[in-house]
Amino acid sequence: MSDVPEITPERVDAAVADALAAAADAPDTAALKKARSAHQGDGSALAALNAQMRHVPKDRKAEFGKIVGQARGRVAQAFQAREETLKSAEDAARLEAERLDITAIPQRTRTGARHPVALMQERIADLFVGMGWEIADGPELEHEWFNFDSLNLDEDHPARQEQDTFFVDPPERHLVMRTQTSPVQMRTMLERDVPIYILSPGKVARTDEFDATHLPVFTQAEGLVVDKGITMAHLKGALDHVAKQLFGDAAETRLRINHFPFTEPSAEFDLWHPTFSGGARWIEWGGCGMVNPNVLRAAGIDPEVYSGFAFGIGIERALMFRSDVQDMRDMAEGDVRFSEQFGMVV
Ligand code: DAH
């Protein structure tokens, strides 16, 4: 017991002063924790002085007890206060360090994408609107008369046979899923006044296989012009313009003689481009021709005064050539990953 210092107010004050200095000097909460155990813990000067209480004579226990007790209280308070200060500074520093710019967090839900066929359809429509044409519309569930008869396709035409056309029950209503956008030609001529410059994009249906080059439902764009003095040169010029706008200046078109009942003469038209996959080559893109006088007459338009041209092009085919889509089924299956490859632009 002799090597343990006796309790004296000076010793207590010195221990308190050391402890307060250590608390004040601690730069962070980790250092403070160490200082606290050195100055407040079991091995501390204050603890040693406190342990001496039992050697203090009874009559002075209260006096010394108060001195030591107050000293310990001050030290505890000082550490407590310092801890609060350091902790809030550290919290503030951590918040600053961990600051997140939530505006920079990428969106985690998929936004999806417009369908490339819809984008291509709009792009083609825009080209014609740019030439001053109007967009016309017609029903996908169509009357046989519009789809066939009015277009000079008689009862025996092969396209009317079951293998091509989806006939809709009951048969006596004579409804079909339109097999082409051409019925919009007649609807337009009956509804609008000449001159007519329209494009009509839309879905058509045929009882085709579902394979890499056929879809039972696909998209066409029908063009129709009826005006005075319209010739095949106007048709060729319009097709050339659209081909170059869509595929670039190197694109060419050519007409190959063909037969369609609603045009006379009729042609198939092909597209040529130096960079088509598979090399520079001609690819069939649609049908066209000068509107058959019988069709004009059925619409009440005098073929002696007016003439016109018409064409029908495949939108999916345009997308295939332009974006090198190998399998048409990708366009029908609705997998958003297919659409996402195109973004919002085809
Ligand atoms: N309707 C035809 C088809 O689907 C394409 C076509 C050919 C449209 C000649 C026309 C045309 O307007 O004049 O095969």
Side-chain angles (χ1 to χ4, degrees), residues 39-344:
H39 292 276
Q40 246 194 309
D42 288 346
S44 66
L46 268 180
L49 288 168
N50 192 46
Q52 288 300 91
M53 281 299 294
R54 57 197 152 99
H55 303 297
V56 172
K58 259 203 174 104
D59 60 335
R60 302 199 66 182
K61 268 202 199 301
E63 182 194 337
F64 281 99
K66 195 173 165 191
I67 291 174
V68 174
Q70 278 178 347
R72 295 176 78 193
R74 276 183 70 195
V75 169
Q77 229 173 32
F79 275 106
Q80 188 60 38
R82 181 70 181 151
E83 170 152 21
E84 277 161 26
T85 307
L86 289 174
K87 187 151 183 337
S88 64
E90 283 169 15
D91 285 350
R94 194 166 61 242
L95 283 179
E96 186 59 36
E98 292 175 0
R99 177 195 290 269
L100 280 184
D101 178 1
I102 54 167
T103 62
I105 293 178
Q107 204 169 356
R108 266 186 249 159
T109 48
R110 283 176 122 160
T111 47
R114 304 275 322 277
H115 198 282
V117 171
L119 293 173
M120 178 57 81
Q121 180 175 319
E122 277 173 20
R123 195 186 173 104
I124 291 174
D126 281 352
L127 285 175
F128 284 93
V129 169
M131 296 193 289
W133 296 31
E134 294 175 317
I135 301 299
D137 211 4
E140 289 171 22
L141 178 61
E142 184 55 285
H143 197 280
E144 265 186 86
W145 186 80
F146 280 110
N147 196 79
F148 297 122
D149 307 72
S150 75
L151 295 169
N152 215 22
L153 273 104
D154 56 36
E155 290 284 339
D156 306 325
H157 197 277
R160 286 179 95 130
Q161 304 310 307
E162 301 278 344
Q163 70 267 24
D164 283 322
T165 307
F166 285 110
F167 291 92
V168 177
D169 281 338
E172 57 276 18
R173 291 192 63 195
H174 297 283
L175 293 175
V176 298
M177 298 309 295
R178 68 176 176 188
T179 60
Q180 50 188 356
T181 43
S182 303
V184 184
Q185 289 188 29
M186 182 52 68
R187 287 186 172 273
T188 304
M189 287 188 274
L190 293 176
E191 279 164 20
R192 302 185 190 211
D193 294 329
V194 281
I196 290 168
Y197 289 80
I198 61 105
L199 185 85
S200 184
K203 288 203 164 50
V204 302
R206 287 185 198 172
T207 57
D208 275 339
E209 290 301 318
F210 182 57
D211 63 29
T213 53
H214 295 92
L215 299 177
V217 176
F218 55 102
T219 320
Q220 288 186 333
E222 190 80 13
L224 173 70
V225 167
V226 181
D227 204 344
K228 287 179 178 157
I230 296 295
T231 71
M232 215 140 179
H234 296 115
L235 166 63
K236 178 77 163 80
L239 295 176
D240 259 350
H241 173 73
V242 170
K244 288 188 195 308
Q245 289 290 310
L246 213 51
F247 296 97
D249 279 345
E252 309 266 353
T253 62
R254 80 175 173 195
L255 302 184
R256 262 184 303 113
I257 199 81
N258 203 301
H259 172 76
F260 294 102
F262 34 93
T263 39
E264 182 57 39
S266 304
E268 253 169 342
F269 75 93
D270 300 338
L271 190 65
W272 182 89
H273 198 277
T275 64
F276 278 152
S277 73
R281 61 197 173 106
W282 289 102
I283 293 172
E284 185 195 322
W285 193 19
C288 59
M290 299 305 290
V291 181
N292 191 313
N294 290 343
V295 175
L296 290 176
R297 249 180 246 113
I301 297 172
D302 183 353
E304 300 299 324
V305 181
Y306 289 96
S307 57
F309 69 75
F311 62 85
I313 54 177
I315 305 282
E316 282 83 359
R317 284 180 74 74
L319 189 64
M320 282 182 105
F321 312 148
R322 205 182 133 78
S323 301
D324 194 20
V325 179
Q326 302 288 341
D327 192 328
M328 281 183 114
R329 285 169 291 197
D330 287 338
M331 300 183 198
E333 272 163 355
D335 186 332
V336 72
R337 290 171 299 181
F338 173 72
S339 300
E340 278 169 347
Q341 295 175 55
F342 297 83
M344 296 296 168

Side-chain angles (χ1 to χ4, degrees), residues 22-39:
D25 287 348
D28 53 39
T29 52
L32 187 71
K33 202 173 164 193
K34 283 191 192 142
R36 188 176 221 158
S37 91
H39 292 276

